[in-house]
Amino acid sequence: MAALVLGRKTFQTFMASCFHSSPAVAQQPPLPQSHFFPPLEAAMLPPGTFQDRVAFITGGGTGLGRAMTTTLSHLGAQCIIASRKLEVLQQTADEISSRTGNKVIINNAAGNFVCPSENLSANAWKSISDIVLNGTAFVTLELGKRLVRSQKGAAFLAVTTIYAESGSGFVVPSAAAKAGVEALYKSLAGEWGRYGLRFNIIQPGPIRTKGAFSRLDPTGQFEAGMLSRIPTGRLGRAAEMANLASYVCSDYASWMSGAVIRFDGGEYVMMAGEFNELRTVTADQWKVMETMIRSTKGA
């Protein structure tokens, strides 16, 4: 999960990815239909889009946060990255600065893990809710209050997940906390728009980052199942997420506030559709079924 703040004179961002680093596991090849949906990973916005803006990204040292930091820096933003490991932050800061010429200032990040709910301890619940919900709320409210006092507009972005909307077993603390983040951002979009503040949310589906899914898919056994329920036939790319995030926080999206953007290759609607499993029925099986249906009498 994460959040992002972007202002006209001062643009601040805080972000934390749903996924964490993991041991190397065999990657599943994309499905055949994925060639219709090739990822474009170059920055889509023009150079200088974020010139004279500041980006504050939590979880900025790795994964999605790192990808968003890189894109924002390429587009002219001065980036402040925050995470739990100083050495990771320093390495990322040095690499991005050397590639983009923009200074990256160091400053903290998020968490999740899979666990049967009957095994959850109070400390486990508190750990996730403190990081995901309370951490987001404290940073958002503190930055927001300062921006209101200084009369500076900004754009905030929260990065949650598709199960913040649907709920999900085995990640219950995360689902509850991310749903709370979404309620927070939608509420503030209504209340603080008068101060020049925008609040939006992106719900990414599975995106492979370096060593991804360590706590959500530690063995790698679920990745094939993920692909089978993604209509576009592939996982997302961090650079695609970075492009969407940069657009939502840019002046090109200045009329967007209170929006929840699902970014998952169609995974959510595939899982939600009651009859979508019929995609596994073969042509010969359809012929048999159609004959049976036509022979049915009455209502």
Side-chain angles (χ1 to χ4, degrees), residues 52-64:
D52 301 323
R53 309 290 177 86
V54 175
F56 173 49
I57 305 101
T58 65
T62 59
L64 296 183

Side-chain angles (χ1 to χ4, degrees), residues 254-274:
S254 64
W255 207 49
M256 180 184 294
S257 191
V260 180
I261 304 167
R262 195 180 299 137
F263 188 60
D264 66 349
E267 181 186 26
Y268 184 92
V269 293
M270 175 63 81
M271 292 189 295
E274 186 172 359

Side-chain angles (χ1 to χ4, degrees), residues 206-227:
I207 295 177
R208 175 172 287 284
T209 56
K210 184 179 181 181
F213 308 154
S214 67
R215 297 181 185 177
L216 302 180
D217 184 15
T219 66
Q221 63 179 315
F222 299 118
E223 187 172 329
M226 291 179 190
L227 286 173

Side-chain angles (χ1 to χ4, degrees), residues 14 24 32 40 69 98 100 113 127 154 188 207 210 225 261 272:
F14 62 94
L40 297 179
T69 301
S98 65
T100 68
F113 57 87
S127 175
L188 290 175
I207 295 177
K210 184 179 181 181
I261 304 167

Side-chain angles (χ1 to χ4, degrees), residues 119-178:
N119 295 342
L120 277 174
S121 67
N123 283 338
W125 179 277
K126 187 175 185 298
S127 175
I128 297 301
S129 58
D130 275 351
I131 294 169
V132 176
L133 178 55
N134 293 339
T136 301
F138 296 157
V139 174
T140 298
L141 292 171
E142 181 59 32
L143 289 176
K145 291 173 186 177
R146 295 187 185 197
L147 290 164
V148 169
R149 287 195 297 268
S150 61
Q151 298 184 334
K152 293 179 178 179
F156 289 72
L157 174 65
V159 179
T160 59
T161 181
I162 59 174
Y163 63 70
E165 183 174 343
S166 64
S168 177
F170 304 98
V171 285
V172 171
S174 172
K178 290 174 190 291

Side-chain angles (χ1 to χ4, degrees), residues 25-283:
V25 294
Q27 296 187 21
Q28 296 292 327
L31 301 183
Q33 70 266 31
S34 65
H35 79 274
F36 291 109
F37 311 102
L40 297 179
E41 300 188 76
M44 70 179 186
L45 294 179
T49 296
F50 294 104
Q51 199 68 40
D52 301 323
R53 309 290 177 86
V54 175
F56 173 49
I57 305 101
T58 65
T62 59
L64 296 183
R66 179 187 176 119
M68 289 182 277
T69 301
T70 302
T71 295
L72 290 167
S73 184
H74 273 299
L75 295 174
Q78 299 294 314
C79 296
I80 300 170
I81 57 175
S83 187
R84 291 165 290 186
K85 295 182 179 179
L86 181 61
E87 65 276 13
V88 173
L89 288 173
Q90 187 64 65
Q91 180 181 356
T92 299
D94 292 344
E95 289 179 4
I96 293 175
S97 294
S98 65
R99 287 159 54 186
T100 68
N102 287 318
K103 187 177 181 182
V104 180
I105 305 167
I106 299 177
N107 184 332
N108 173 11
N112 191 12
F113 57 87
V114 289
C115 179
S117 295
E118 62 269 26
N119 295 342
L120 277 174
S121 67
N123 283 338
W125 179 277
K126 187 175 185 298
S127 175
I128 297 301
S129 58
D130 275 351
I131 294 169
V132 176
L133 178 55
N134 293 339
T136 301
F138 296 157
V139 174
T140 298
L141 292 171
E142 181 59 32
L143 289 176
K145 291 173 186 177
R146 295 187 185 197
L147 290 164
V148 169
R149 287 195 297 268
S150 61
Q151 298 184 334
K152 293 179 178 179
F156 289 72
L157 174 65
V159 179
T160 59
T161 181
I162 59 174
Y163 63 70
E165 183 174 343
S166 64
S168 177
F170 304 98
V171 285
V172 171
S174 172
K178 290 174 190 291
V181 168
E182 294 196 356
L184 170 71
Y185 268 52
K186 287 184 282 189
S187 299
L188 290 175
E191 183 178 353
W192 279 359
R194 58 185 170 157
Y195 299 126
L197 304 180
R198 297 193 293 118
F199 295 83
N200 292 294
I201 300 153
I202 297 176
Q203 299 175 337
I207 295 177
R208 175 172 287 284
T209 56
K210 184 179 181 181
F213 308 154
S214 67
R215 297 181 185 177
L216 302 180
D217 184 15
T219 66
Q221 63 179 315
F222 299 118
E223 187 172 329
M226 291 179 190
L227 286 173
S228 71
R229 63 176 183 258
I230 299 176
T232 57
R234 66 173 176 85
L235 301 181
R237 300 284 183 88
E240 295 177 293
M241 177 66 189
N243 267 326
L244 177 57
S246 63
Y247 166 73
V248 170
C249 290
S250 75
D251 288 345
Y252 293 97
S254 64
W255 207 49
M256 180 184 294
S257 191
V260 180
I261 304 167
R262 195 180 299 137
F263 188 60
D264 66 349
E267 181 186 26
Y268 184 92
V269 293
M270 175 63 81
M271 292 189 295
E274 186 172 359
F275 292 96
N276 282 335
E277 290 304 314
L278 289 175
R279 69 189 187 280
T280 62
V281 176
T282 66

